[in-house]
Amino acid sequence: MRPRILSLFLLMGLTARLCAAQSEARRDSLLRILEQARTDSARVQTLLDIGKLYYTATESRPWIDKAMALSRKTNYALGVANCLANYNYYLYIEGKYDQVLKNCDTAIRLARPLKAHKTLGALYNYIGNVHTAKGEQRLALENYLNALTEVNQAVVPVHFPITIEGNIVKLYIDLREYTKALTYGLRVIERAENVGAINAAGYNCQRVGEIYLVLKQLSKSRYYFQKGLRFARQTQDPYLEASLLSNLADIFSHEGNVPKALDYYDQSLKLARANQNHEIEMWALHGIALEHYWKKEWEPAYDLTQQARQIAEKNQYNEYVTNLYLLLSDIEIGRGRLREGDQWRQKWQDIRTRISNETVLRATQELETQYQTRQKTAQISALRQQQQIQQLSLQRKNLLIAGLAALLVLLGIIGSLYYRNTRNKQRLAEQAHQISEQKIKQLEQEKQLSAAEGILRGQEEERSRLARDLHDGLGGMLSGIKSSLMAMNGNQIIPEAAAQTFERVIDNLETSIQELRRVARNMMPEALVRFGLKDALQDYVDYLNRPGGQQIDYQTFGLSERLPQATEIIVFRIVQELLNNVQKHAGASQTLVQLIRDGERFHLTVEDNGRGFDTANLAQQQGIGWLNIRSRVDYLNGTLEVESAPGKGTAVHVEFMVS
């Protein structure tokens, strides 16, 4: 499923967009106010208010330019900051993220000394939007929270915080935390409708609709998309309207209603082009191309996909361009141009590898930043301890001097004080040495933990990448070859003996495709990434439950919320390895897989009625599978317990605390 979510933009003095007649009346009123304005600051604000009456940059920017020129001429710092914030609205739509960040940095330096909380809130919100677009979720969340802090200190319209909270909803969607996103999204819609913030309600209806679409609840998804579309048309927001038309087209496409889907894609495309929104234009072109692809109308599918690709490359929509490369490859294979299909597939592979490398680099940089922060914290703590020791030593020296002056004739007391002081120094030196050793041990443990975490993450990322490459790359290519062979078989007259050989080739190719998909699913199940541990294990157990083989009973309790992604992957691998051992060695007919979460405590049980074994021999077990299970349990700081005896089956219990 392609992304179809727009971010909300928080402008200074944000107001609802008006219809054409209202906009003209409002503009005339503001022009009269501009003529009568007595101060430069009032003129600047009025010029910005006029600019907000327009949606396109071509119409709005001349008014912002006039406001900026007047602000700079009169050294009105807050006016300059507000103008930069208003420019950001169109720069963000055009995908000029670096310029948005540059404007925000300049504007924050101007607005901070003035304690202009309203302006600062809008600027931090824009920074959050940019980091969200770049996939930097942590930085985005930090800036959205900064934005909330600022607007809560300002007198602002009620929809300001609603707008920011809506962007936090989008962030949770990007992080695939759909339960949290749905909870926040429904709450924001209700609040926005209650205060009349129809535009914000429309954007959040789109987000909630996207969540339900991911969860495959199409009726609820359609309801919120249609509700958002009504709000978009009520507020005359062409960007939101075009995006929602594309969303509804996706719904119709899912349902197989091709004429309806094409009609809505076409409406979205026309509206996006009329308002120069390249991202939505790209979405619509891709959607129309897919409909032609499913009907095997190769030429229009190819031409439309090429148009979408040119937009994606020009505007650096790198995450989305991979979908277009893959579609171009499938189209070329579909019309028998295997070499060209392979070339597009190679481009898809290259950019996927680059994106993967960039993701790893960002994660590495984030880990380095966290490590450096811990080092600085440790250094500050050490300096404070040294300062306390120096102060204590100075106090003792002062006491000694006072004692020597007062009790000069009492040598015994002086000796006693000297002895005590020496002992204190030794004790302090010993304590400092012990603290230093503890810090060294702690740093070594953190280093080992970081290395182990990096190895595990690298393994899982490589598994995930290989699984995608196998399924989408080689799997798609084999499927295309099979389709071509099937078509050839139907169109060519082949001797009976050769036909039987030809059919065996096709059967063997189908077996290879199924085996490749099984390998890809075992390396990184799609359900684990999208829906979490509970659903991924259910799919895996369903796959293993074959008639005549072992029967697996899968039970879960308390897993309504997802675990951290790294923990889910590790637990999945443990269960996968244990079930693999049951299949290979136990000879069991019944197996129980049970997952229980009680608060922060997590308990896993895998039990079978197989032949069992003597647990006394477990310590000498050097198999790779068992060593992997032990290392993963150790990484979770958990406990591993095995109960088994010959002829009595086996039960493996794993327990750990969810961090």
Side-chain angles (χ1 to χ4, degrees):
M1 184 182 68
R2 303 182 301 281
R4 288 286 188 275
I5 303 177
L6 296 176
S7 293
L8 294 180
F9 310 113
L10 190 59
L11 293 179
M12 306 317 306
L14 185 67
T15 58
R17 299 292 179 172
L18 305 175
C19 67
Q22 291 174 321
S23 178
E24 184 175 356
R26 176 64 174 160
R27 182 185 60 198
D28 293 340
S29 175
L30 289 172
L31 288 173
R32 288 193 296 271
I33 294 173
L34 181 63
E35 293 176 356
Q36 300 170 3
R38 297 183 179 180
T39 63
D40 293 326
S41 60
R43 294 188 185 93
V44 169
Q45 188 57 53
T46 304
L47 288 167
L48 292 177
D49 289 340
I50 296 173
K52 291 171 193 172
L53 297 176
Y54 303 97
Y55 271 108
T56 64
T58 304
E59 295 175 304
S60 180
R61 273 182 176 152
W63 298 99
I64 305 175
D65 290 341
K66 291 179 181 179
M68 177 63 83
L70 181 58
S71 297
R72 287 175 172 166
K73 179 180 178 181
T74 58
N75 294 321
Y76 179 34
L78 182 57
V80 174
N82 287 338
C83 290
L84 290 171
N86 278 262
Y87 281 131
N88 285 344
Y89 182 89
Y90 302 100
L91 291 171
Y92 184 92
I93 293 174
E94 295 165 359
K96 298 178 180 178
Y97 300 140
D98 291 338
Q99 186 61 46
V100 172
L101 292 177
K102 182 178 179 181
N103 283 357
C104 287
D105 182 63
T106 302
I108 287 173
R109 288 200 304 269
L110 294 172
R112 175 65 63 197
L114 302 173
K115 296 182 179 180
H117 299 297
K118 180 180 176 183
T119 301
L120 290 168
L123 294 168
Y124 281 123
N125 187 73
Y126 276 121
I127 297 174
N129 288 340
V130 170
H131 287 304
T132 299
K134 289 184 173 183
E136 299 166 348
Q137 284 88 358
R138 294 182 183 276
L139 291 173
L141 182 59
E142 177 184 344
N143 282 281
Y144 286 144
L145 293 175
N146 286 339
L148 274 178
T149 300
E150 294 296 340
V151 299
N152 287 337
Q153 300 179 66
V155 178
V156 296
V158 291
H159 52 264
F160 265 47
I162 291 175
T163 299
I164 299 170
E165 289 174 352
N167 287 336
I168 294 175
V169 173
K170 181 180 183 298
L171 184 61
Y172 278 126
I173 294 174
D174 292 340
L175 293 170
R176 295 183 174 85
E177 297 186 24
Y178 298 117
T179 301
K180 290 183 179 179
L182 194 58
T183 300
Y184 277 89
L186 293 173
R187 186 173 66 190
V188 171
I189 291 172
E190 182 179 1
R191 290 178 57 191
E193 288 186 275
N194 289 339
V195 300
I198 303 303
N199 189 256
Y203 278 94
N204 284 284
C205 282
Q206 184 191 35
R207 290 165 178 161
V208 170
E210 277 287 340
I211 297 170
Y212 281 124
L213 186 58
V214 170
L215 299 178
K216 301 188 184 304
Q217 299 182 32
L218 298 185
S219 60
K220 291 184 178 180
S221 179
R222 180 191 291 105
Y223 169 78
Y224 281 101
F225 285 153
Q226 289 175 339
K227 185 175 182 179
L229 185 61
R230 290 196 301 271
F231 290 150
R233 287 171 173 169
Q234 183 177 345
T235 58
Q236 293 192 346
D237 187 334
Y239 303 116
L240 179 59
E241 182 180 354
S243 180
L244 284 162
L245 286 169
S246 184
N247 289 132
L248 287 166
D250 285 344
I251 295 285
F252 293 125
S253 179
H254 275 287
E255 295 174 340
N257 191 341
V258 176
K260 200 80 171 178
L262 287 173
D263 178 48
Y264 273 69
Y265 280 134
D266 187 59
Q267 292 182 55
S268 175
L269 179 63
K270 290 178 180 178
L271 199 55
R273 284 175 170 172
N275 291 277
Q276 301 177 5
N277 190 297
H278 304 303
E279 187 174 21
I280 301 176
E281 179 184 0
M282 174 189 66
W283 294 346
L285 288 169
H286 188 196
I288 298 171
L290 279 172
E291 297 303 327
H292 287 293
Y293 171 78
W294 299 130
K295 294 191 294 183
K296 297 184 179 181
E297 298 172 354
W298 309 122
E299 292 301 327
Y302 183 83
D303 293 340
L304 291 164
T305 307
Q306 283 284 31
Q307 294 178 43
R309 177 190 63 81
Q310 291 170 3
I311 294 173
E313 290 178 345
K314 180 179 179 181
N315 294 277
Q316 297 182 348
Y317 301 141
N318 294 331
E319 286 287 347
Y320 203 92
V321 78
T322 59
N323 299 325
L324 301 171
Y325 286 160
L326 196 59
L327 180 56
L328 286 168
S329 174
D330 291 339
I331 292 171
E332 293 288 27
I333 292 173
R335 58 182 181 178
R337 300 175 60 178
L338 299 183
R339 178 177 296 177
E340 289 79 0
D342 183 63
Q343 291 173 351
W344 285 113
R345 186 79 55 165
Q346 184 61 47
K347 286 187 176 183
W348 170 82
Q349 177 62 48
D350 292 342
I351 195 169
R352 288 296 304 174
T353 301
R354 179 163 61 83
I355 292 173
S356 177
N357 292 338
E358 290 174 354
T359 302
V360 172
L361 179 60
R362 284 199 300 268
T364 302
Q365 291 173 341
E366 186 173 356
L367 287 173
E368 289 178 352
T369 301
Q370 293 176 354
Y371 178 71
Q372 292 172 358
T373 301
R374 286 198 298 268
Q375 280 188 321
K376 290 180 180 179
T377 303
Q379 291 173 356
I380 292 171
S381 178
L383 290 172
R384 287 177 177 173
Q385 289 179 351
Q386 291 177 3
Q387 186 178 14
Q388 291 174 355
I389 293 172
Q390 291 173 354
Q391 290 176 350
L392 183 61
S393 177
L394 181 60
Q395 290 174 359
R396 285 182 170 80
K397 288 181 180 180
N398 291 335
L399 289 173
L400 181 59
I401 292 172
L404 288 173
L407 305 171
L408 186 60
V409 296
L410 302 175
L411 296 178
I413 298 176
I414 294 173
S416 177
L417 290 173
Y418 178 78
Y419 175 75
R420 186 176 64 180
N421 187 52
T422 303
R423 287 290 303 273
N424 286 337
K425 287 183 178 180
Q426 292 175 349
R427 194 175 293 111
L428 288 172
E430 292 175 356
Q431 292 176 353
H433 181 68
Q434 292 174 355
I435 291 173
S436 177
E437 288 183 344
Q438 290 175 355
K439 289 180 179 178
I440 292 173
K441 290 180 180 179
Q442 182 180 358
L443 288 173
E444 289 178 349
Q445 292 174 352
E446 290 179 354
K447 183 177 179 181
Q448 292 173 356
L449 180 61
S450 177
E453 183 179 2
I455 291 171
L456 287 175
R457 184 185 295 109
Q459 290 176 345
E460 295 304 332
E461 288 178 352
E462 186 63 15
R463 281 174 179 265
S464 179
R465 186 185 70 79
L466 288 174
R468 289 195 304 270
D469 291 349
L470 285 173
H471 185 277
D472 297 339
L474 185 55
M477 187 175 294
L478 289 175
S479 296
I481 293 172
K482 178 188 171 185
S483 298
S484 298
L485 291 175
M486 296 273 300
M488 185 185 298
N489 188 24
N491 296 330
Q492 300 292 331
I493 299 176
I494 303 174
E496 181 177 354
Q500 293 177 356
T501 302
F502 196 81
E503 290 294 332
R504 283 198 300 273
V505 169
I506 293 177
D507 290 342
N508 290 337
L509 183 58
E510 174 63 23
T511 302
S512 299
I513 292 171
Q514 295 302 323
E515 177 65 15
L516 182 143
R517 288 174 177 168
R518 183 190 67 80
V519 171
R521 180 173 59 249
N522 285 341
M523 293 183 71
M524 179 54 68
E526 182 180 0
L528 180 60
V529 177
R530 295 182 61 186
F531 306 116
L533 176 65
K534 179 179 177 181
D535 293 342
L537 282 177
Q538 183 67 64
D539 289 348
Y540 186 61
V541 167
D542 291 343
Y543 171 74
L544 294 179
N545 274 329
R546 293 187 293 271
Q550 64 166 325
Q551 295 301 308
I552 303 175
D553 182 14
Y554 176 54
Q555 301 175 359
T556 62
F557 304 93
L559 292 187
S560 57
E561 294 185 2
R562 290 189 61 174
L563 301 174
Q565 186 176 19
T567 304
E568 288 189 335
I569 293 174
I570 292 172
V571 174
F572 182 86
R573 295 300 180 201
I574 292 173
V575 175
Q576 190 179 41
E577 195 65 53
L578 289 172
L579 291 178
N580 186 44
N581 288 343
V582 172
Q583 282 189 313
K584 286 184 178 180
H585 309 298
S589 61
Q590 294 290 332
T591 304
L592 170 67
V593 178
Q594 188 179 73
L595 282 71
I596 301 174
R597 180 174 181 179
D598 182 12
E600 298 301 315
R601 187 178 300 277
F602 190 93
H603 186 87
L604 162 66
T605 297
V606 178
E607 184 175 349
D608 66 74
N609 64 349
R611 60 177 61 96
F613 61 91
D614 187 356
T615 57
N617 299 327
L618 200 58
Q620 287 76 37
Q621 177 61 253
Q622 297 298 323
I624 293 177
W626 189 248
L627 291 176
N628 283 339
I629 292 172
R630 284 178 173 172
S631 64
R632 286 186 166 95
V633 173
D634 290 340
Y635 176 77
L636 293 172
N637 292 324
T639 59
L640 175 64
E641 182 180 352
V642 181
E643 299 175 0
S644 185
K648 295 184 178 181
T650 304
V652 179
H653 305 281
V654 176
E655 187 170 302
F656 61 91
M657 300 300 292
V658 179
S659 58

